[in-house]
Amino acid sequence: MKVMVTGGAGFIGSHIVDAMLAAGHDVCVVDDLSTGHRENVDARARIYDVDIRDEAALEAVFEQEKPEVISHQAAKANVRESMVRPVLYAEVNILGSLNLLEATRRHEVRKIIYASTGGAVYGDLEYVPADEAHPINPLDPYGASKHQVEHYLYIYGRHYGLDYTVLRYPNVYGPRQDPEGEAGVIAIWTGRMLKGRSTIVYGSGGQERDFVYVGDIARANVMALDKGGGEIINLGSSIGTSINEVFDLLQRYTGYTQERTHGPAKQGEVFRSFITHEKAERLLGWLPTVSLSEGLERTVDYFRR
Ligand code: NAD
């Protein structure tokens, strides 16, 4: 199958490229390399350094590649930055995605698989694990922009017959995540522990998150090529893991000798956030397969190299 991965030079997108290639698909990448890196992309995939907001450049790629399916990962994905730059987040995440959707109308694209977020679209969780029927209440411009596109997909499905699957990701971690970034506590701590730098656990460390290894997320994208049409699907583990547990495992794998130190809790931080996997299991046959300890070991190995 001819697959286009937008954001394919980024953390998650580059693993999707690997998984698509391993499954025998023909892959091209559209990425403006704003947070992604060329080195992340397997040499067998063709890269187009194109901003999804650039309608003409995007059109030229569609003319050239004629993708059958798009795995749409390109986005601005930093919650804190979105509070400061809400217009930029709307431009890239909403208008950029609309550009892509419009291109699917002019070309024979069968399906879009869309990277959404369980962490940001549900807002404060009323119950855990949150399933797909949980109320949608994004608390920041990032979450709001990701959710908007879920609804545009519904509209394009309804009016133009475009098939789609929305995948709501939990806290994804693994090799190639940015250790200098704001989003991934695992990448940040791994980077700092390997350099012997200080680390801080904000609050008690009892707060729970839903950590799923990036390879499992990539595999779900491959499964969604021909399953889960017209559906919104959580890719959670259904289990909460405390931040302290993550710290202790990373400390062991990195050989970090400093004690765990705690700082003040972050204001407004949700205490327990994890999402379901049952619908993904039913519709895609997907379950996370990489345990946290195995995934963390692989991540530490990668950062060490
Ligand atoms: P990332 O920043 O590593 O990847 C995003 C990619 O998109 C980068 O390669 C970047 O260069 C590219 N990009 C950004 N703006 C672009 C533009 N205007 N045109 C073309 N390319 C552009 O982040 P990631 O963590 O790999 O996130 C991938 C997707 O998964 C995003 O859609 C994000 O919202 C979603 N997501 C991530 C997580 C997580 O835990 N990392 C959780 C939920 C959802």
Side-chain angles (χ1 to χ4, degrees):
M1 214 178 279
K2 293 203 74 164
V3 181
M4 173 188 282
V5 182
T6 72
F11 161 51
I12 299 174
S14 65
H15 286 274
I16 294 173
V17 170
D18 293 346
M20 293 289 180
L21 287 168
H25 300 293
D26 179 74
V27 181
C28 75
V29 166
V30 170
D31 197 302
D32 71 350
L33 305 173
S34 50
T35 56
H37 306 280
R38 227 173 248 281
E39 315 80 86
N40 287 344
V41 183
D42 187 293
R44 289 169 292 170
R46 298 170 295 286
I47 309 183
Y48 296 87
D49 179 355
V50 162
D51 188 323
I52 54 169
R53 288 169 293 181
D54 184 340
E55 194 182 329
L58 203 56
E59 178 62 20
V61 182
F62 274 79
E63 284 282 348
Q64 171 84 25
E65 291 287 341
K66 308 209 178 317
E68 296 165 68
V69 177
I70 299 169
S71 170
H72 179 31
Q73 310 295 314
K76 300 299 291 172
N78 181 323
V79 170
R80 218 162 17 162
E81 185 187 46
S82 80
M83 302 294 290
V84 184
R85 305 190 68 187
V87 176
L88 173 68
Y89 273 66
E91 282 171 358
V92 174
N93 296 358
I94 303 176
L95 297 181
S97 298
L98 268 175
N99 252 340
L100 205 63
L101 284 171
E102 282 294 281
T104 67
R105 290 179 59 197
R106 295 189 296 270
H107 297 269
E108 284 179 21
V109 177
R110 182 173 59 78
K111 179 166 189 177
I112 293 204
I113 301 161
Y114 173 61
S116 187
T117 159
V121 299
Y122 296 125
D124 284 336
L125 295 187
E126 292 174 12
Y127 56 88
V128 283
D131 57 16
E132 294 82 356
H134 187 284
I136 298 292
N137 273 314
L139 297 171
D140 48 73
Y142 166 65
S145 68
K146 295 302 287 187
H147 175 59
Q148 281 287 318
V149 177
E150 296 183 338
H151 199 80
Y152 276 114
L153 284 165
Y154 174 76
I155 293 168
Y156 277 69
R158 181 122 179 181
H159 293 294
Y160 311 122
L162 176 68
D163 192 11
Y164 68 90
T165 300
V166 171
L167 299 176
R168 288 186 181 150
Y169 299 167
N171 300 86
V172 187
Y173 73 96
R176 301 182 197 143
Q177 191 163 26
D178 183 3
E180 307 296 334
E182 179 253 3
V185 68
I186 290 177
I188 295 168
W189 278 350
T190 306
R192 295 188 70 84
M193 285 183 181
L194 286 173
K195 287 180 179 154
R197 292 200 193 147
S198 62
T199 49
I200 292 177
V201 176
Y202 294 104
S204 69
Q207 57 273 51
E208 292 176 353
R209 294 290 175 272
D210 191 351
F211 295 103
V212 173
Y213 186 70
V214 66
D216 279 325
I217 298 295
R219 200 164 44 82
N221 273 263
V222 177
M223 289 167 153
L225 285 172
D226 46 24
K227 289 190 200 135
E231 297 284 348
I232 294 179
I233 301 173
N234 281 351
L235 295 182
S237 64
S238 304
I239 309 169
T241 301
S242 77
I243 297 295
N244 284 338
E245 191 179 337
V246 169
F247 185 98
D248 293 346
L249 284 168
L250 280 178
Q251 189 176 40
R252 186 177 334 146
Y253 298 137
T254 57
Y256 188 61
T257 50
Q258 296 182 32
E259 290 298 307
R260 201 166 68 205
T261 47
H262 293 259
K266 282 193 174 163
Q267 223 185 352
E269 190 186 24
V270 183
F271 199 71
R272 302 177 86 204
S273 174
F274 45 100
I275 60 175
T276 54
H277 68 270
E278 281 75 10
K279 191 172 176 185
E281 189 175 5
R282 188 160 39 84
L283 298 186
L284 304 177
W286 178 89
L287 270 176
T289 56
V290 179
S291 67
L292 184 67
S293 52
E294 190 185 338
L296 290 180
E297 255 190 296
R298 287 189 204 173
T299 307
V300 170
D301 276 354
Y302 168 83
F303 279 106
R304 208 172 245 130
R305 274 185 274 117

